[in-house]
Every structure is written in structure tokens, then in C-alpha cells.
Amino acid sequence: MSAPLDEATRAIIRATVPALKAHGVAITTEMYRRLLARPEIRDLFNLSHQRDGEQPRALALAVLAYAEHIDRLDALGGMVERIAGKHVGLNILPEHYPYVAEALLGAIAHVLGEAATPEILDAWGKAYWFLADILIGREKQIYEEHEAAPGGWTGWRAFRVRAQTQETPAIVSFELVPVDGGPIARHRAGQYLSFRLEVPGHGAQRRNYSISSTPGADHYRISVRRAEGGVVSSWLHDSVQEGAVLQVANPAGDFVLDEAGDGPVTFLTAGVGLTPAIAMLAELAQAGTGRTIRYVHGARSEDSAAFVADVGGFAARGVVTADFFYACESTVAAAGGPGITCHAGRIGTDWLRQTLDRAATYYICGPDSFMRDMVGALRDEKLPAAQIRYEFFGSAADPALVI
């Protein structure tokens, strides 16, 4: 374990905040250029996030948040947990961390030039390894928990596609069972699976997909939207059929249902962001909870909204009340069935404020812009932070959503 950061080191880190604000993306872009030149590291990354600049922006924000909170790192607990979860899903190991240290410090020196004094590089070296040791320790705990759990595993495990379902024109579900025939770990509703995939013509690829099935089943289900220009999503839609074998890591992620709570719950989702919420909703329904549950979902049109029948079944049983918003529809039916109301247009922040349940915990997932609007509105209404929970699809390249 690295020694706690001394005041002199923290003072230097604080002093670099303006430089990080001005040059952070340039530094992380250069860092990734160096890392991706190494074959032993390159395959650990989602290369599509490199091409669109999302990963460097997200890391730049995380580094900036670390520097800005260097005197109160407890405020970064949620960010650290999310990073550790994603690292475990990708099977990041302690031996990978020195490569990142070398690339980060080299990038700082390259971008800042003479401004990157030996004192600054020494301080950032200490700060990096202090955080790295925290992550390595937490990741070790998670790996051990996975291995000890019934049906759990570490590393990659072969799963077969048992069934495939076209949920909407753009979303396909894949039902996965282990090739070895053994049991699978019970995931927590809201978690995701990480995949190591070999895509013809594109080589090794890593992706995370939320588990959309109910915990306790004999399989995992993921529901994948075809992304425009998406290498992996297009391959999954066009080429992966029943019987195909995929390499899968143990369920991970901290965006999970608070099973111990008894207060109201509101799911607030858009697009394929509904996938973790569907698993949470199904688990609450299966448990026969008496909690007040509301499901709010935004889609482009009525035919692009997945799992409408599932939600309708829950609503008919009185488990949930639901609101569906269809952004590209000028008119919709006044109701979609018992307990369901349909709306033309997008989920707006004014509507959210007007319908706000101050006792509810909000679970939010969707595109970054949607989450920024929804989370921002709830924060503006002074809803406690513990009642605002959200998950990123991608790399959280929005400063309002990093912490």
C-alpha cells in the first residue's frame, strides 16, 4: 500500500488543476496513443471509444476530478467503485498498472513540455500509485468474491447463445448459458456482463452489456441495440446466431437495486438504457414487494420501445404504474393499458419536476444528454444524492456525471 499523500504532494497536484482543465484531453489522448501501441494492453480497451474521443474525454474528467478532490478523496468513492467494477469486468490485473503509469507520466511530460517539472512528475507519480493501490485492493476483493460465490468464476468463461429474440427493429436479446453446464452466479439486478469478442476483420474487442434478465434464472440475457457504425453491435445482430459461443466475465457493476429499501422507486430511462431497469423491475415484481414503483421510459417511437408487453403485464397486476414517451410521435393513445399512460414527445425536465416524488429513489439510465438533464433537474430540486442513482452506457464523458 502506498503511503498517504503528504501535503507538499497534494499542493502540487492542486496547482496542476488549471493545466488539467486546459490540456487534460490532450494528455489522455497522448496517454492512450502510447498504451495502444503495446499489444499486451491494446486489447483491453473498447477501441470505438478511442475513435470517437469518448474514452480520452472521460479519463480527462476523472483525472481532473481526482486532482480537484485530492484533499477529500472520500467524495470520489462512487467513481472509484465504478472504475473497479469495470476493471474487474475487463480482467484488469495488477501487472497492467505500471504500463498506465508510464504512459500517463510520459503523456504529461510530452504535452506540458518544460512546464512538467521533475517535481510535478514526481507528485503525479505518487498520486497515481496511491489511487492505483486503492483500485488494486478493491479489485482483488471483487475477484475473490466472484470466485467464492456459488456459480461464480474469475477470468473468461464460455457461454452459448441458447436463444435469440428480436425485441424491436433495433434491439436483439441474447439468452446465454454456460458451455460447461455448471451453475451461474446470481447477479444483482442492474449489473452488466463484460465480453471478450473476436470480430472478423476487427480483431479482439471488449464490450459491456447490462443484464436484462431477472436474477436467479438459469441464464443471463443481454439486449443489444444496433449502434450506427457500431462494429460489435452490428456483428452481434448480423452474425451471432443461436449456438454461438462467447467469452464472458462474471457479472459486475454497482448500479444495483437497493434490495433492503422499502421506499418508492422510480425508473427513469431512455433508449436501450431500459435494460438494467427491466431487470430491477422484474426482481421487485418477483419478490412481491409492496413498494410503490413507477416506470418512465422514453423511446423514439412506439415500435422502438422494448419490453412494453412485460411492463404492461406488471402494470396489469398492479405492480407498477408506467409512462411511455415517444419522441417522434405527434399523437399517441391516451393510455397503453391498465396503469400505463403514453405521451407524445420527450421526457421533459418540467414534467419531471411536476411529477417529482420526494420520497422515491430514482434509477436513471440512458444517453449522457438525457441523464445530464434528468440528474440535473433532480439535483436542482434538492433531492438527496442517495436518492439519485445512475449508470453510464459508455465512458461518462460528461463532467456533470463523473462523480
mmCIF file of all heavy atoms in Angstrom, residues 202-224:
data_model
loop_
_atom_site.group_PDB
_atom_site.id
_atom_site.type_symbol
_atom_site.label_atom_id
_atom_site.label_comp_id
_atom_site.label_asym_id
_atom_site.label_seq_id
_atom_site.Cartn_x
_atom_site.Cartn_y
_atom_site.Cartn_z
ATOM 1 N N HIS A 202 -11.852 -7.191 -37.431
ATOM 2 C CA HIS A 202 -11.636 -6.137 -36.427
ATOM 3 C C HIS A 202 -10.877 -6.639 -35.203
ATOM 4 O O HIS A 202 -10.581 -5.844 -34.301
ATOM 5 C CB HIS A 202 -12.981 -5.538 -35.999
ATOM 6 C CG HIS A 202 -13.716 -4.861 -37.112
ATOM 7 N ND1 HIS A 202 -13.449 -3.569 -37.502
ATOM 8 C CD2 HIS A 202 -14.689 -5.326 -37.933
ATOM 9 C CE1 HIS A 202 -14.249 -3.246 -38.516
ATOM 10 N NE2 HIS A 202 -15.004 -4.285 -38.795
ATOM 11 N N GLY A 203 -10.604 -7.927 -35.143
ATOM 12 C CA GLY A 203 -9.806 -8.469 -34.050
ATOM 13 C C GLY A 203 -10.521 -8.483 -32.712
ATOM 14 O O GLY A 203 -11.756 -8.508 -32.633
ATOM 15 N N ALA A 204 -9.719 -8.455 -31.656
ATOM 16 C CA ALA A 204 -10.245 -8.543 -30.293
ATOM 17 C C ALA A 204 -11.005 -7.270 -29.922
ATOM 18 O O ALA A 204 -10.537 -6.164 -30.191
ATOM 19 C CB ALA A 204 -9.119 -8.787 -29.304
ATOM 20 N N GLN A 205 -12.144 -7.455 -29.305
ATOM 21 C CA GLN A 205 -12.977 -6.336 -28.861
ATOM 22 C C GLN A 205 -13.489 -6.634 -27.461
ATOM 23 O O GLN A 205 -13.774 -7.786 -27.126
ATOM 24 C CB GLN A 205 -14.178 -6.133 -29.808
ATOM 25 C CG GLN A 205 -13.815 -5.868 -31.252
ATOM 26 C CD GLN A 205 -13.308 -4.462 -31.490
ATOM 27 O OE1 GLN A 205 -13.665 -3.534 -30.767
ATOM 28 N NE2 GLN A 205 -12.470 -4.291 -32.502
ATOM 29 N N ARG A 206 -13.624 -5.595 -26.649
ATOM 30 C CA ARG A 206 -14.199 -5.730 -25.302
ATOM 31 C C ARG A 206 -15.444 -4.845 -25.227
ATOM 32 O O ARG A 206 -15.413 -3.684 -25.646
ATOM 33 C CB ARG A 206 -13.201 -5.285 -24.226
ATOM 34 C CG ARG A 206 -11.850 -5.985 -24.271
ATOM 35 C CD ARG A 206 -11.919 -7.421 -23.837
ATOM 36 N NE ARG A 206 -10.618 -8.076 -23.965
ATOM 37 C CZ ARG A 206 -9.778 -8.294 -22.965
ATOM 38 N NH1 ARG A 206 -10.076 -7.871 -21.748
ATOM 39 N NH2 ARG A 206 -8.641 -8.927 -23.163
ATOM 40 N N ARG A 207 -16.492 -5.401 -24.680
ATOM 41 C CA ARG A 207 -17.726 -4.628 -24.514
ATOM 42 C C ARG A 207 -18.419 -5.015 -23.217
ATOM 43 O O ARG A 207 -18.258 -6.136 -22.714
ATOM 44 C CB ARG A 207 -18.704 -4.876 -25.673
ATOM 45 C CG ARG A 207 -18.273 -4.360 -27.029
ATOM 46 C CD ARG A 207 -18.180 -2.846 -27.072
ATOM 47 N NE ARG A 207 -17.931 -2.368 -28.424
ATOM 48 C CZ ARG A 207 -16.714 -2.264 -28.968
ATOM 49 N NH1 ARG A 207 -15.644 -2.628 -28.265
ATOM 50 N NH2 ARG A 207 -16.574 -1.821 -30.203
ATOM 51 N N ASN A 208 -19.214 -4.094 -22.661
ATOM 52 C CA ASN A 208 -20.071 -4.343 -21.507
ATOM 53 C C ASN A 208 -21.527 -4.220 -21.940
ATOM 54 O O ASN A 208 -21.875 -3.276 -22.658
ATOM 55 C CB ASN A 208 -19.817 -3.326 -20.390
ATOM 56 C CG ASN A 208 -18.384 -3.329 -19.901
ATOM 57 O OD1 ASN A 208 -17.745 -4.370 -19.855
ATOM 58 N ND2 ASN A 208 -17.880 -2.168 -19.526
ATOM 59 N N TYR A 209 -22.366 -5.162 -21.487
ATOM 60 C CA TYR A 209 -23.800 -5.081 -21.768
ATOM 61 C C TYR A 209 -24.579 -5.398 -20.491
ATOM 62 O O TYR A 209 -24.297 -6.395 -19.810
ATOM 63 C CB TYR A 209 -24.214 -6.063 -22.878
ATOM 64 C CG TYR A 209 -23.632 -5.710 -24.228
ATOM 65 C CD1 TYR A 209 -22.607 -6.473 -24.787
ATOM 66 C CD2 TYR A 209 -24.087 -4.603 -24.931
ATOM 67 C CE1 TYR A 209 -22.064 -6.136 -26.019
ATOM 68 C CE2 TYR A 209 -23.545 -4.267 -26.166
ATOM 69 C CZ TYR A 209 -22.539 -5.038 -26.696
ATOM 70 O OH TYR A 209 -21.996 -4.693 -27.918
ATOM 71 N N SER A 210 -25.552 -4.556 -20.177
ATOM 72 C CA SER A 210 -26.372 -4.776 -18.981
ATOM 73 C C SER A 210 -27.146 -6.076 -19.093
ATOM 74 O O SER A 210 -27.572 -6.479 -20.182
ATOM 75 C CB SER A 210 -27.353 -3.619 -18.796
ATOM 76 O OG SER A 210 -26.690 -2.427 -18.489
ATOM 77 N N ILE A 211 -27.327 -6.719 -17.958
ATOM 78 C CA ILE A 211 -28.119 -7.948 -17.895
ATOM 79 C C ILE A 211 -29.589 -7.546 -17.788
ATOM 80 O O ILE A 211 -29.985 -6.841 -16.854
ATOM 81 C CB ILE A 211 -27.720 -8.808 -16.694
ATOM 82 C CG1 ILE A 211 -26.222 -9.112 -16.736
ATOM 83 C CG2 ILE A 211 -28.535 -10.094 -16.649
ATOM 84 C CD1 ILE A 211 -25.682 -9.749 -15.467
ATOM 85 N N SER A 212 -30.404 -7.982 -18.741
ATOM 86 C CA SER A 212 -31.820 -7.588 -18.746
ATOM 87 C C SER A 212 -32.725 -8.672 -18.179
ATOM 88 O O SER A 212 -33.948 -8.486 -18.130
ATOM 89 C CB SER A 212 -32.264 -7.230 -20.167
ATOM 90 O OG SER A 212 -32.089 -8.314 -21.062
ATOM 91 N N SER A 213 -32.151 -9.794 -17.747
ATOM 92 C CA SER A 213 -32.957 -10.888 -17.186
ATOM 93 C C SER A 213 -33.057 -10.774 -15.675
ATOM 94 O O SER A 213 -32.272 -10.083 -15.024
ATOM 95 C CB SER A 213 -32.343 -12.235 -17.571
ATOM 96 O OG SER A 213 -30.973 -12.277 -17.227
ATOM 97 N N THR A 214 -34.011 -11.495 -15.117
ATOM 98 C CA THR A 214 -34.248 -11.467 -13.676
ATOM 99 C C THR A 214 -33.188 -12.279 -12.945
ATOM 100 O O THR A 214 -32.854 -13.387 -13.378
ATOM 101 C CB THR A 214 -35.633 -12.067 -13.361
ATOM 102 O OG1 THR A 214 -36.604 -11.466 -14.209
ATOM 103 C CG2 THR A 214 -36.017 -11.842 -11.908
ATOM 104 N N PRO A 215 -32.647 -11.795 -11.841
ATOM 105 C CA PRO A 215 -31.692 -12.589 -11.065
ATOM 106 C C PRO A 215 -32.301 -13.917 -10.629
ATOM 107 O O PRO A 215 -33.496 -14.009 -10.332
ATOM 108 C CB PRO A 215 -31.403 -11.696 -9.850
ATOM 109 C CG PRO A 215 -31.662 -10.303 -10.341
ATOM 110 C CD PRO A 215 -32.808 -10.431 -11.294
ATOM 111 N N GLY A 216 -31.462 -14.957 -10.614
ATOM 112 C CA GLY A 216 -31.912 -16.265 -10.173
ATOM 113 C C GLY A 216 -32.293 -17.208 -11.291
ATOM 114 O O GLY A 216 -32.561 -18.383 -11.045
ATOM 115 N N ALA A 217 -32.329 -16.729 -12.538
ATOM 116 C CA ALA A 217 -32.645 -17.607 -13.661
ATOM 117 C C ALA A 217 -31.447 -18.504 -13.969
ATOM 118 O O ALA A 217 -30.348 -18.319 -13.435
ATOM 119 C CB ALA A 217 -33.014 -16.771 -14.886
ATOM 120 N N ASP A 218 -31.649 -19.475 -14.873
ATOM 121 C CA ASP A 218 -30.558 -20.382 -15.236
ATOM 122 C C ASP A 218 -29.719 -19.822 -16.377
ATOM 123 O O ASP A 218 -28.892 -20.531 -16.950
ATOM 124 C CB ASP A 218 -31.109 -21.757 -15.623
ATOM 125 C CG ASP A 218 -31.889 -21.735 -16.940
ATOM 126 O OD1 ASP A 218 -32.298 -20.628 -17.377
ATOM 127 O OD2 ASP A 218 -32.090 -22.818 -17.523
ATOM 128 N N HIS A 219 -29.942 -18.565 -16.723
ATOM 129 C CA HIS A 219 -29.248 -17.943 -17.840
ATOM 130 C C HIS A 219 -29.087 -16.453 -17.570
ATOM 131 O O HIS A 219 -29.706 -15.900 -16.648
ATOM 132 C CB HIS A 219 -30.044 -18.131 -19.140
ATOM 133 C CG HIS A 219 -31.360 -17.415 -19.119
ATOM 134 N ND1 HIS A 219 -32.502 -17.957 -18.525
ATOM 135 C CD2 HIS A 219 -31.743 -16.185 -19.584
ATOM 136 C CE1 HIS A 219 -33.505 -17.099 -18.630
ATOM 137 N NE2 HIS A 219 -33.066 -16.018 -19.262
ATOM 138 N N TYR A 220 -28.263 -15.809 -18.368
ATOM 139 C CA TYR A 220 -28.212 -14.353 -18.429
ATOM 140 C C TYR A 220 -28.793 -13.932 -19.775
ATOM 141 O O TYR A 220 -28.654 -14.636 -20.769
ATOM 142 C CB TYR A 220 -26.773 -13.829 -18.337
ATOM 143 C CG TYR A 220 -26.030 -14.206 -17.086
ATOM 144 C CD1 TYR A 220 -24.822 -14.898 -17.164
ATOM 145 C CD2 TYR A 220 -26.500 -13.853 -15.824
ATOM 146 C CE1 TYR A 220 -24.107 -15.231 -16.028
ATOM 147 C CE2 TYR A 220 -25.800 -14.186 -14.684
ATOM 148 C CZ TYR A 220 -24.601 -14.882 -14.783
ATOM 149 O OH TYR A 220 -23.898 -15.213 -13.647
ATOM 150 N N ARG A 221 -29.423 -12.764 -19.786
ATOM 151 C CA ARG A 221 -29.903 -12.200 -21.043
ATOM 152 C C ARG A 221 -29.336 -10.798 -21.190
ATOM 153 O O ARG A 221 -29.352 -10.013 -20.249
ATOM 154 C CB ARG A 221 -31.436 -12.129 -21.064
ATOM 155 C CG ARG A 221 -32.016 -11.584 -22.379
ATOM 156 C CD ARG A 221 -33.523 -11.460 -22.295
ATOM 157 N NE ARG A 221 -33.943 -10.446 -21.342
ATOM 158 C CZ ARG A 221 -35.212 -10.205 -20.989
ATOM 159 N NH1 ARG A 221 -36.182 -10.930 -21.509
ATOM 160 N NH2 ARG A 221 -35.496 -9.264 -20.111
ATOM 161 N N ILE A 222 -28.806 -10.511 -22.371
ATOM 162 C CA ILE A 222 -28.415 -9.150 -22.701
ATOM 163 C C ILE A 222 -29.265 -8.691 -23.872
ATOM 164 O O ILE A 222 -29.707 -9.500 -24.694
ATOM 165 C CB ILE A 222 -26.917 -9.041 -23.053
ATOM 166 C CG1 ILE A 222 -26.565 -9.910 -24.267
ATOM 167 C CG2 ILE A 222 -26.054 -9.385 -21.844
ATOM 168 C CD1 ILE A 222 -25.177 -9.656 -24.828
ATOM 169 N N SER A 223 -29.528 -7.400 -23.948
ATOM 170 C CA SER A 223 -30.362 -6.842 -25.015
ATOM 171 C C SER A 223 -29.562 -5.713 -25.657
ATOM 172 O O SER A 223 -29.286 -4.699 -25.021
ATOM 173 C CB SER A 223 -31.685 -6.334 -24.446
ATOM 174 O OG SER A 223 -32.365 -7.396 -23.793
ATOM 175 N N VAL A 224 -29.203 -5.905 -26.914
ATOM 176 C CA VAL A 224 -28.216 -5.060 -27.583
ATOM 177 C C VAL A 224 -28.871 -4.234 -28.688
ATOM 178 O O VAL A 224 -29.537 -4.787 -29.566
ATOM 179 C CB VAL A 224 -27.085 -5.920 -28.184
ATOM 180 C CG1 VAL A 224 -26.034 -5.040 -28.861
ATOM 181 C CG2 VAL A 224 -26.449 -6.791 -27.106
#
